[in-house]
Amino acid sequence: MEYTRTVPVTRPAAERVFDWQEFHEHIPEACLREQGARCMDCGVPFCHTGQIINGAASGVRSIT
């Protein structure tokens, strides 16, 4: 893998209770593009869907 995984910063709950904004801080577009390239380099399709249970995606995100 050419790029390392970048996880967005989570806003504190004490701050989030006062607004309806996103709970993760925004990531610069350049970083988002790098993360997209990271997924394209991996080769594992749909890793973010987790397991298939009774024919449906579980929605569990992989932390690879």
Side-chain angles (χ1 to χ4, degrees):
M1 300 277 292
E2 207 172 310
Y3 305 107
T4 59
R5 183 170 189 245
T6 302
V7 180
V9 176
T10 303
R11 293 176 56 216
E15 179 183 315
R16 295 190 321 250
V17 297
F18 295 107
D19 60 40
W20 292 93
Q21 303 300 318
E22 298 289 338
F23 59 93
H24 284 123
E25 296 291 339
H26 291 281
I27 298 176
E29 184 177 341
C31 186
L32 292 174
R33 289 181 180 275
E34 183 177 282
Q35 291 303 296
R38 182 178 180 273
C39 285
M40 295 303 290
D41 286 345
C42 175
V44 178
F46 308 110
C47 68
H48 61 282
T49 59
Q51 304 176 46
I52 302 298
I53 301 172
N54 294 330
S58 67
V60 177
R61 184 175 61 167
S62 172
I63 55 170
T64 59

